[in-house]
Amino acid sequence: MPTRTIRSRALVLTAAALAVLPTAVLAASSHAASTPAPASAATAAPVSFVDLPDTSLPSDNAPHGITVTYRNPASTDQTVAPQILIESPDNGPFLDPAQIRLELLGTDRHWHTVSLGSQTGTLYTDLIPAKIVLHGHHTLTEHYRVTVLKGPAQGSVEPRVAIYA
């Protein structure tokens, strides 16, 4: 899976995500062989991101599935956090969080709405509540679904995984 250095836009989004402490914790999600990240690591910034395949934002007002899958290639534990970015077109119009519903499939097999932040035309999920420790050679799999509520909307859905030191 490709990795990249942190671009300035991604750095702004990461800083914004870290600056906002969640007011409610998301329902537990289905982390294969994972444990919650230690509290001391809650404010550390990611050192890199693994980009997963992106898709066009669906425009038919129906829910569309997104699967985030990442395998820890190391034999040691790794702190990671899945993140969904929903990018507006470069020339606008910028997407509004009220236009999009993003849901996460919890361990209870129910869909739970995920809050979206917004910065410079990008909607994003917070990293802090998603942060977990992924054991060596284990795989993280998260299931999301995105629905355009108010359209038409244009953009792309860009899942990624934040990697921490």
Side-chain angles (χ1 to χ4, degrees), residues 28-36 68-72 77-78 80 82 105 107 109 130 132-143:
S29 57
S30 57
H31 299 297
S34 62
T35 56
V68 173
T69 302
Y70 173 74
R71 180 168 173 78
N72 179 357
D77 290 353
Q78 185 177 61
V80 300
L105 185 62
T107 55
R109 305 307 294 166
I132 56 116
V133 174
L134 186 61
H135 300 305
H137 301 294
H138 284 93
T139 300
L140 163 74
T141 301
E142 297 273 345
H143 299 282

Side-chain angles (χ1 to χ4, degrees), residues 5 14 19 24 41 53 88 99 114 136 140:
T5 56
T14 300
S88 298
Q99 288 180 274
V114 178
L140 163 74

Side-chain angles (χ1 to χ4, degrees), residues 31-74:
H31 299 297
S34 62
T35 56
S40 62
T43 58
V47 295
S48 66
F49 290 91
V50 176
D51 291 331
L52 302 174
D54 55 313
T55 59
S56 295
L57 184 63
S59 59
D60 61 1
N61 301 82
H64 291 268
I66 302 164
T67 299
V68 173
T69 302
Y70 173 74
R71 180 168 173 78
N72 179 357

Side-chain angles (χ1 to χ4, degrees), residues 110-136:
H110 291 93
W111 291 102
H112 302 276
T113 301
V114 178
S115 297
L116 291 170
S118 178
Q119 178 133 6
T120 61
T122 301
L123 306 181
Y124 59 91
T125 58
D126 284 336
L127 291 171
I128 293 171
K131 200 185 275 191
I132 56 116
V133 174
L134 186 61
H135 300 305

